Amino acid sequence: MIINYAHRGASGTYPENTMLSFEKAFELGASGIETDVQMTSDGVLVLIHDERVDRTTDRIGFVKDYTYNDIRKLDAGSWLSDEFQNQRIPSFEELLIFMKGNNLFLNLELKSNIIQYPYIEKKVIETIYKYDMADRTILSSFNHYSMVKCKEIDKNIKIGLLYMSGLYRPEHYAKFVGAEALHPYFYSLNEEIIRGIKSEGILINTFTVNDEKYMEMFIDSGIDGIITNYPEKLYKLLGV
Ligand code: G3P
Ligand code: MG
């Protein structure tokens, strides 16, 4: 079974990383959600891709400089279209409450590679257990130190290592780090690399595949998850 991860929700059509984009992803046939977590000045985990709010809201500044109360006042939808103007930056807990009502998988990407948010790994893991979601969750990050920290906190939490390209024998690296999965940029994969990774029993969840031609190629290649802005396209191809 290939997991159809909606990248930042159904972000090809709806404002990324909003409850609307997550809910629509579910309706459109996604079987998983990929989203990005950062932290407010008062330590609340919130879902937004950039370290700054500038690109996807009506205000400017770093997420880390807003309190949760203040960041909730921002409009996280109108940057895409006026019809989305009441969308807010969700808290991680808000997403988990939604996910308790369905069977979606979660790929939570810790944005711990630019800003070192204090104790973000611990907070994320505690929150996942609070909602009893560990079985359906895989954490990922471009910061592999952060992933190792997660494993040290809880050896049962699953981790995936994000990378863009050029890792030699990535399956060996994944084993060395203790990761269950690799999360490569899709251009860095070919049949031989996929075979190598699979031969060591490591999962592959690749990003961000928006073109049907590549989706078909990856469906045939036997990888485990495809992260896409268009879960509806992938849903059709998977024929589920
Ligand atoms: O997790 C896959 C993908 O989201 C990684 O890159 O920049 O879209 O968060 P980015
Ligand atoms: Mg991401």
Side-chain angles (χ1 to χ4, degrees):
M1 183 195 70
I2 295 177
I3 301 181
N4 176 352
Y5 282 109
H7 181 237
R8 314 180 193 172
S11 63
T13 320
Y14 299 95
E16 64 180 61
N17 285 331
T18 59
M19 286 312 297
L20 180 67
S21 73
F22 302 140
E23 287 157 10
K24 289 291 179 186
F26 179 65
E27 286 172 29
L28 292 169
S31 51
I33 301 281
E34 187 273 355
T35 183
D36 311 288
V37 67
Q38 318 242 11
M39 208 163 90
T40 60
S41 62
D42 48 349
V44 179
L45 298 170
V46 288
L47 305 176
I48 176 169
H49 178 271
D50 301 356
E51 283 66 31
R52 296 182 63 93
V53 300
D54 307 29
R55 182 177 60 85
T56 56
T57 75
D58 55 343
R59 297 279 295 278
I60 57 164
F62 283 96
V63 174
K64 70 173 176 57
D65 294 333
Y66 279 86
T67 61
Y68 179 63
N69 197 32
D70 283 342
I71 213 166
R72 287 293 289 189
K73 295 177 188 147
L74 276 51
D75 176 342
S78 342
W79 66 276
L80 188 60
S81 161
D82 285 346
E83 66 182 296
F84 303 131
Q85 76 177 348
N86 284 322
Q87 289 303 308
R88 303 286 141 200
I89 295 174
S91 68
F92 179 35
E93 294 208 35
E94 206 175 347
L95 173 65
L96 290 173
I97 290 165
F98 165 65
M99 293 186 78
K100 288 308 284 178
N102 54 53
N103 56 3
L104 291 170
F105 290 97
L106 173 64
N107 170 204
L108 184 70
E109 181 187 346
L110 276 67
K111 288 294 184 193
S112 46
N113 50 319
I114 296 177
I115 291 172
Q116 306 294 313
Y117 294 108
Y119 303 108
I120 188 166
E121 294 85 2
K122 187 166 176 284
K123 278 177 190 270
V124 160
I125 292 170
E126 280 173 1
T127 311
I128 289 167
Y129 278 99
K130 178 175 168 192
Y131 289 87
D132 193 22
M133 280 287 291
D135 288 350
R136 285 199 264 154
T137 300
I138 184 161
L139 304 179
S140 65
S141 181
F142 285 104
N143 180 350
H144 302 172
Y145 287 91
S146 179
M147 291 294 92
V148 170
K149 203 179 278 180
C150 290
K151 273 286 181 200
E152 285 167 1
I153 293 167
D154 174 25
K155 66 177 174 14
N156 295 318
I157 205 85
K158 290 186 278 300
I159 59 166
L161 307 175
L162 276 163
Y163 65 99
M164 291 303 291
S165 68
L167 272 191
Y168 180 68
R169 302 303 297 267
E171 62 277 15
H172 292 182
Y173 179 63
K175 289 212 143 179
F176 171 67
V177 175
E180 285 80 4
L182 289 160
H183 288 210
Y185 177 54
F186 75 104
Y187 251 61
S188 70
L189 290 172
N190 61 32
E191 278 181 26
E192 188 187 338
I193 295 172
I194 292 172
R195 252 198 321 275
I197 298 172
K198 296 307 297 174
S199 73
E200 293 292 334
I202 305 293
L203 301 169
I204 307 173
N205 299 313
T206 190
F207 71 95
T208 303
V209 188
N210 293 328
D211 183 326
E212 278 113 332
K213 183 177 79 212
Y214 289 106
M215 288 178 181
E216 280 175 340
M217 201 185 88
F218 284 119
I219 290 170
D220 292 341
S221 75
I223 66 164
D224 304 280
I226 297 175
I227 300 169
T228 177
N229 295 348
Y230 298 96
E232 66 276 27
K233 290 188 195 176
L234 183 55
Y235 177 73
K236 274 198 195 132
L237 294 175
L238 287 170
V240 282

